[in-house]
Amino acid sequence: MEQTAVEKKFGKYVMASMITMFLQSAYSMIDGLFVSNLIGDTALSAVNVAWPIIAVVTAIGTGVGCGGAVMMSTKQGEGKNEESNIVRANVILALLASSIVVTILFLILLTPLLKLMGAEGELLRLSQIYGRVMLTGGVLQILSCGLTPLLRNDNRAVSAMMIMVGGLFVNLGLDFVFMYVFHMGIGGAAGASLCAQLFTTLCCLIILGTKKTDPIRFSQFIIRKEYWKKIFKTAVSPFGISLTPSLLILYHNVACLKFGGDLAVKAYALISSTVGSYRVLLIGVAEGIQPLASYAYGAHDFHAIRKIRNKAIITAMSVSFFLFIFTIATARFYPAIYGYEGEAAELGYHAVMVTAAQLIFTGLVRVTNSFFYSVGKDKYSLFMIYFDPLIMTPLTIVILPRIFGLDGIWITAVVTQFILNIVAFGMFASHERQMKRMEAAKTLAGKWEG
């Protein structure tokens, strides 16, 4: 990736990343469509209840993969390609180590966690079945999510996208076979997702091992403790970005059970399967800029950093507004698509309409999260990522439902995302001032050398 051409790759990387992220999230959406129509809306609620636990596993894979990808791109920007290859090999080792520990831990904790979230009766039984199958394949989930960022940072963004397309078709086809032909129920939906992730993992490894320039070699698998430390430190930010939507699902499910029971949980499941899936496109915009921003940061190209940042903000805000309009225009169709009827259909439609406004503000938040960890501003990124799920949303979702009832749950995300937009503008202004000081220092140093 030539330094002078970094910003010209913006469209390619962002578009490929948006499609990749959407397809990655589509696994749960497809499972939801099949289970809701072939089993019932309680099964869709079960997928939604179990998903925050499973999402911790996928978030670890995404976090480690993106953390290593940032380090790879920075090394490439510094002109240290061989070190970048060793970093890549260490990321793969870190993914394998993480997957073994996480799989065992969450299989043990699955049932207590589901009960803690309020699941009981048939909802608990179906959640356990789905969760156990998915967690048994934890190694595949972590590898499939963690290897994709490595492809993207190896200038294989389009290849990563095409692999996800293939995985989606595998998932879709096997969902039909396992659930419709063999009547395997909700466990079949989970099994189809794991088979798709196996396909993704194998394809990623094949491409990384057979590429013409800088392929994976056994000689590169040299364990470097200092690399692991940096990888996991940076991973905290993308881990949070990936996990936050699922933490928010957890909070909303608990609030729904308290204020509206199973019917409210079903309404929120419809939000997660529609508005939640659209939000992933905005994460795609944000993650698409990571290789470019990290490379420019490693090369100390402040002009490219500024151009990438500005294009990302404009793109994300434009996509955000489009998604809001699209959701409002199509919301009436969602209940029927997911097999909702009667009171569940009406409440689901109303919930989607009320919460859709969050999409207007989500794009800027996502770009802020990814941009700052990509350019070494971890403190900014960590604040933006964790302040919402750990402090702001828990407080808001306790207060607003007591004032507005169920509508207070639906507007929680709208309020929190609006507040984070204000914080984001302040951070970008502060970072711009810092870059100007660094540019001035660089210019002064050049004059002294001259």
Side-chain angles (χ1 to χ4, degrees):
M1 195 188 304
E2 294 296 328
Q3 179 175 333
T4 56
V6 167
E7 64 190 65
K8 295 181 181 179
K9 296 178 180 287
F10 180 90
K12 172 186 174 183
Y13 273 71
V14 167
M15 183 57 67
S17 179
M18 286 175 65
I19 296 173
T20 300
M21 292 299 296
F22 181 76
L23 293 176
Q24 199 170 62
S25 74
Y27 290 146
S28 62
M29 184 170 63
I30 289 174
D31 285 350
L33 281 169
F34 272 93
V35 299
S36 63
N37 283 283
L38 295 180
I39 305 175
D41 48 19
T42 300
L44 177 61
S45 297
V47 173
N48 198 51
V49 169
W51 192 255
I53 300 170
I54 298 161
V56 175
V57 178
T58 60
I60 289 171
T62 300
V64 174
C66 289
V70 168
M71 193 173 177
M72 284 175 58
S73 292
T74 303
K75 293 291 185 184
Q76 291 166 3
E78 294 171 351
K80 301 176 181 178
N81 288 338
E82 185 54 38
E83 285 190 38
S84 176
N85 294 336
I86 296 175
V87 170
R88 180 182 58 192
N90 275 262
V91 173
I92 295 173
L93 293 174
L95 288 169
L96 288 170
S98 301
S99 64
I100 295 171
V101 174
V102 169
T103 297
I104 295 172
L105 178 64
F106 279 92
L107 279 172
I108 295 171
L109 296 176
L110 175 63
T111 298
L113 288 173
L114 290 173
K115 290 181 178 179
L116 185 64
M117 289 187 287
E120 56 185 22
E122 182 67 4
L123 181 62
L124 174 62
R125 186 185 74 83
L126 291 174
S127 299
Q128 286 175 316
I129 295 172
Y130 186 79
R132 282 171 184 159
V133 176
M134 291 293 285
L135 290 172
T136 300
V139 173
L140 293 176
Q141 294 191 66
I142 286 182
L143 285 175
S144 64
C145 292
L147 291 174
T148 303
L150 301 188
L151 279 184
R152 189 175 63 223
N153 283 58
D154 260 351
N155 202 24
R156 292 293 187 276
V158 176
S159 297
M161 179 187 72
M162 295 308 298
I163 288 172
M164 282 297 166
V165 171
L168 184 66
F169 280 108
V170 171
N171 191 24
L172 182 62
L174 291 181
D175 263 328
F176 177 81
V177 172
F178 290 167
M179 299 183 68
Y180 187 78
V181 178
F182 293 112
H183 308 288
M184 294 172 64
I186 197 169
S193 292
L194 290 184
C195 290
Q197 288 166 338
L198 173 61
F199 170 85
T200 300
T201 299
L202 292 175
C203 288
C204 287
L205 289 173
I206 290 171
I207 291 177
L208 289 172
T210 59
K211 54 181 298 203
K212 293 181 179 180
T213 57
D214 297 322
I216 291 177
R217 293 289 180 262
F218 286 113
S219 59
Q220 297 166 359
F221 286 84
I222 306 167
I223 295 179
R224 299 280 182 88
K225 292 182 179 179
E226 67 274 19
Y227 287 177
W228 282 53
K229 182 178 179 180
K230 178 65 175 175
I231 289 167
F232 281 106
K233 180 182 177 182
T234 306
V236 176
S237 291
F239 169 80
I241 292 172
S242 180
L243 183 62
T244 293
S246 298
L247 279 177
L248 299 182
I249 289 175
L250 171 61
Y251 297 149
H252 283 76
N253 278 334
V254 171
C256 286
L257 284 168
K258 182 176 181 179
F259 290 97
D262 288 347
L263 191 65
V265 173
K266 292 174 184 177
Y268 189 70
L270 190 64
I271 291 174
S272 299
S273 298
T274 54
V275 177
S277 297
Y278 301 156
R279 285 199 306 256
V280 174
L281 287 171
L282 300 169
I283 296 177
V285 175
E287 291 302 296
I289 69 171
Q290 179 271 307
L292 306 175
S294 295
Y295 185 94
Y297 173 70
H300 302 291
D301 188 342
F302 300 109
H303 173 73
I305 291 174
R306 191 174 285 112
K307 292 283 288 186
I308 292 165
R309 178 200 65 195
N310 294 345
K311 285 184 177 182
I313 291 173
I314 293 171
T315 302
M317 293 182 73
S318 300
V319 174
S320 289
F321 187 74
F322 169 80
L323 290 174
F324 167 68
I325 297 299
F326 178 79
T327 301
I328 295 297
T330 58
R332 179 55 73 180
F333 300 104
Y334 298 154
I337 291 173
Y338 283 88
Y340 283 40
E341 297 178 345
E343 191 176 359
E346 285 303 313
L347 182 59
Y349 166 72
H350 173 74
V352 170
M353 290 293 287
V354 172
T355 198
Q358 66 175 280
L359 292 168
I360 299 173
F361 308 111
T362 302
L364 180 63
V365 175
R366 299 305 182 204
V367 166
T368 306
N369 295 345
S370 296
F371 174 78
F372 282 123
Y373 84 73
S374 299
V375 296
K377 302 297 293 183
D378 291 333
K379 290 183 179 179
Y380 282 12
S381 181
L382 290 173
F383 179 85
M384 284 294 294
I385 292 167
Y386 287 100
F387 177 66
D388 180 21
L390 298 184
I391 298 176
M392 192 157 54
T393 291
L395 287 175
T396 307
I397 207 166
V398 167
I399 297 170
L400 293 183
R402 285 173 167 80
I403 301 173
F404 301 105
L406 283 179
D407 280 351
I409 299 176
W410 315 142
I411 66 173
T412 291
V414 182
V415 173
T416 56
Q417 295 299 295
F418 174 75
I419 294 172
L420 287 174
N421 269 236
I422 298 172
V423 176
F425 278 116
M427 286 185 172
F428 279 121
S430 175
H431 183 247
E432 177 63 25
R433 291 193 294 270
Q434 293 176 23
M435 281 204 300
K436 287 181 178 179
R437 289 195 294 269
M438 294 171 69
E439 283 179 310
K442 183 179 179 181
T443 301
L444 183 61
K447 289 181 179 178
W448 278 103
E449 290 177 3

